[in-house]
Amino acid sequence: MASLNLSTGADHDNNKPLRRIAEAFKSLSNSIKKDDNTNTTNSISQTLEIENSVLELAPFSNACSLVSPLFRCLGIAFRFAEMDYVAKVDDLVEASKSISTLQAMMDDDIRSDFVRKGGSHTRNLLRVKRGLDMVRVLFEQIIVTEGNSLKSPASTAYAQVFAPHHNWAIRKAVAAGMYALPTKAQLLTKLNEDEASARTQMQIYIGASAAVILYIDKLFHSKDLGIDW
């Protein structure tokens, strides 16, 4: 099976999309300044923590764009996610040309009373975050699931992250598409990784993306927006 070539450049890592994703999110995670003395058990302290943290929009949106090919690798079952995710990441990439941070972007939408409207950067951020979370759960399940099938890992990731926000028709279409998933071996071939190296990069992404996702969730909650919409 032909491997997934993301670039014609000479850089070896350009042919290692999983490695590029892991490194990008590790860098994002490291960039979030954490106040270890801040108690995050209530909304006031949570707001203080967010105010002492910064996540720049440009590197975030660029890192998210590296994840897009993963949805393509999963085939028809996640075609809806690929189309939706790519469009919303593209919007954040464009927004990053004039907006510095995630917090500033959300503040702009709040001032314009545009947060929950279609096309809102904040609304798009929430949906991109779910895409990142789905990949995180998928990787967790791939690591702990024996065998060559991706049906169980992918079904668990979909059920946990996307299904609560989808109607019956979409859930039914995704369930049918699960039978067309590539095998684990086929996925690793597309990503130019063997099982050991893939496990290492997946574990890096799992930890790093969890920190980024948590930051985004806290950012939404600190502005009383919630995340279940």
Side-chain angles (χ1 to χ4, degrees):
M1 177 175 292
S3 59
L4 180 67
N5 190 343
L6 299 185
S7 173
T8 58
D11 185 356
H12 177 259
D13 280 351
N14 283 342
N15 291 321
K16 295 283 188 179
L18 187 55
R19 188 163 305 180
R20 296 178 69 200
I21 292 166
E23 290 175 352
F25 277 87
K26 184 177 180 180
S27 178
L28 284 179
S29 177
N30 290 339
S31 74
I32 300 173
K33 299 176 182 178
K34 300 178 179 66
D35 182 354
D36 293 333
N37 295 318
T38 301
N39 183 340
T40 60
T41 58
N42 58 64
S43 60
I44 295 176
S45 58
Q46 184 166 276
T47 300
L48 290 173
E49 182 184 19
I50 289 296
E51 289 177 348
N52 290 325
S53 307
V54 174
L55 186 53
E56 295 183 356
L57 183 55
F60 172 78
S61 58
N62 289 332
C64 292
S65 69
L66 297 176
V67 178
S68 300
L70 284 173
F71 290 104
R72 193 180 317 139
C73 289
L74 293 172
I76 192 171
F78 288 92
R79 185 65 48 82
F80 76 93
E82 178 194 353
M83 295 174 64
D84 188 62
Y85 180 87
V86 170
K88 288 171 174 54
V89 169
D90 286 348
D91 173 72
L92 297 183
V93 170
E94 187 63 27
S96 73
K97 296 176 182 178
S98 58
I99 303 173
S100 59
T101 67
L102 270 65
Q103 190 169 26
M105 180 183 75
M106 294 174 71
D107 287 341
D108 285 349
D109 280 343
I110 291 170
R111 280 192 294 269
S112 303
D113 193 24
F114 194 59
V115 171
R116 292 186 178 234
K117 297 180 181 178
S120 155
H121 299 318
T122 301
R123 185 177 183 273
N124 289 343
L125 171 62
L126 182 59
R127 279 143 183 80
V128 167
K129 189 267 298 188
R130 286 179 190 149
L132 300 178
D133 204 21
M134 196 286 296
V135 172
R136 180 188 63 81
V137 178
L138 175 66
F139 285 175
E140 287 178 341
Q141 293 300 310
I142 288 175
I143 288 173
V144 301
T145 302
E146 295 183 358
N148 199 32
S149 174
L150 290 182
K151 185 174 184 298
S152 178
S155 297
T156 298
Y158 175 77
Q160 184 170 321
V161 180
F162 284 141
H165 306 284
H166 288 167
N167 61 34
W168 177 85
I170 295 177
R171 294 197 300 269
K172 184 176 178 63
V174 171
M178 290 292 178
Y179 293 95
L181 285 166
T183 64
K184 184 196 296 185
Q186 289 170 335
L187 176 64
L188 296 185
T189 297
K190 290 180 179 182
L191 297 174
N192 296 314
E193 301 284 355
D194 59 34
E195 191 157 351
S197 63
R199 176 184 290 265
T200 297
Q201 301 308 322
M202 286 180 183
Q203 287 173 329
I204 292 172
Y205 175 83
I206 289 167
S209 66
V212 173
I213 290 165
L214 179 60
Y215 174 87
I216 294 171
D217 284 348
K218 287 182 177 180
L219 187 57
F220 272 83
H221 286 305
S222 74
K223 298 181 183 302
D224 296 323
L225 298 177
I227 56 173
D228 294 323
W229 50 278

